[in-house]
């Protein structure tokens, strides 16, 4: 007597889905919904200051793709990246030194709290007197504003390193440079990356604000010029472009953050698995 095994039915629902499809839908769902809502809400708008999104989109190519990307957007991004890089180097270097030395931390804490409480935009008129209205002033404003979240998070990250790890590195007589690179810098890297992410948002804001004061080019300068000349659709295109610049910089930051904190994510996953 022979037995036959029934063929299994192929269910299309059981097929593995594209692993990239679901994250892509999650990422794009809200932006697409907001754009559609804005398009529908403004379709019949007759307001001079809130034109239809269709008019704004139509004005975008002629406003930015005919020379302004190199004359206004590129200088803004370069100033932002230079100021941000200066803040990273100074903030991480000072943060590691202050975090490793209780004496230095007690000595600098009152001054740090004083200068942190001063908003960088307030310093722009004063900096204009000493540095002028040129690129140096704008870069300095961006670097000053980005410095504090990086510096303070680095200090706290260094202070939070496990004392057992410090003692172990001393027992094995690791060189000072090796300790700073493999223990201090890596151990504080989650906090440092948190401060760097906060600083990036602050830097974009200060980039625009610094360009609104006696500037001759830049994204912030151009948006203000559109507003003063009542070119409202063009003004809205500048605001949208500013948001797109922030999105691109955030994506680049995530691409850098992923390999830097790969060890940290692996440690968290192992700890969850152990529990």
């Amino acid at each position: 007597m022979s037995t036959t095994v029934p063929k299994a039915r192929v269910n299309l629902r059981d097929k593995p889905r594209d692993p990239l499809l679901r994250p892509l839908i999650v990422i794009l769902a809200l932006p697409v919904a907001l754009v559609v809502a804005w398009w529908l809400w403004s379709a019949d708008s007759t307001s001079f200051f809130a034109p239809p999104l269709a008019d704004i989109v139509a004005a975008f190519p002629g406003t930015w793709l005919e020379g302004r990307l190199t004359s206004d957007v590129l200088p803004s991004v370069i100033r932002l990246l230079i100021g941000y890089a200066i803040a990273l180097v100074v903030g991480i270097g000072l943060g590691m030194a202050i975090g490793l030395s209780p004496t230095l931390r007690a000595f600098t804490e009152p001054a740090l709290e004083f200068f942190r409480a001063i908003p960088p935009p307030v310093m722009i008129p004063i900096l204009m007197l000493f540095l002028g209205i040129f690129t140096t002033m704008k870069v300095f404003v961006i670097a000053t504003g980005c410095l504090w979240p990086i510096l303070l998070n680095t200090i706290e990250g260094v202070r939070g390193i496990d004392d057992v790890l410090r003692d172990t590195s001393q027992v094995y007589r690791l060189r000072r440079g090796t300790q700073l690179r493999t223990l201090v810098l890596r151990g504080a890297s989650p906090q440092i990356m948190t401060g760097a992410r906060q600083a990036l948002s602050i830097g974009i804001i200060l980039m625009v604000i610094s360009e609104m004061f006696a500037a001759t080019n830049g994204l912030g300068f151009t948006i203000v010029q559109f507003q003063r000349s009542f070119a409202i659709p063009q003004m809205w295109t500048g605001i949208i472009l500013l948001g797109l610049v922030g999105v691109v910089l955030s994506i680049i930051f995530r691409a850098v953050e992923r390999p830097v904190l790969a060890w940290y994510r692996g440690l968290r996953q192992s700890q969850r698995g152990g529990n």
Side-chain angles (χ1 to χ4, degrees), residues 145-208:
C146 295
L147 174 65
W148 300 110
I150 298 173
L151 174 62
L152 297 176
N153 277 276
T154 302
I155 293 174
E156 294 303 319
V158 172
R159 291 181 60 188
I161 296 176
D162 193 354
D163 292 334
V164 175
L165 295 178
R166 296 177 186 268
D167 296 338
T168 302
S169 65
Q170 293 177 359
V171 169
Y172 281 96
R173 298 181 180 180
L174 298 180
R175 295 181 179 179
R176 186 66 174 176
T178 303
Q179 291 184 26
L180 293 176
R181 185 178 67 257
T182 61
L183 174 62
V184 179
L185 185 59
R186 179 169 293 184
S189 58
Q191 286 282 91
I192 295 175
M193 296 305 292
T194 300
R197 177 180 292 276
Q198 296 172 356
L200 184 60
S201 301
I202 295 174
I204 295 174
I205 296 172
L206 293 177
M207 176 193 74
V208 176

Side-chain angles (χ1 to χ4, degrees), residues 25 35 59 244:
I25 294 175
V35 170
L244 294 176

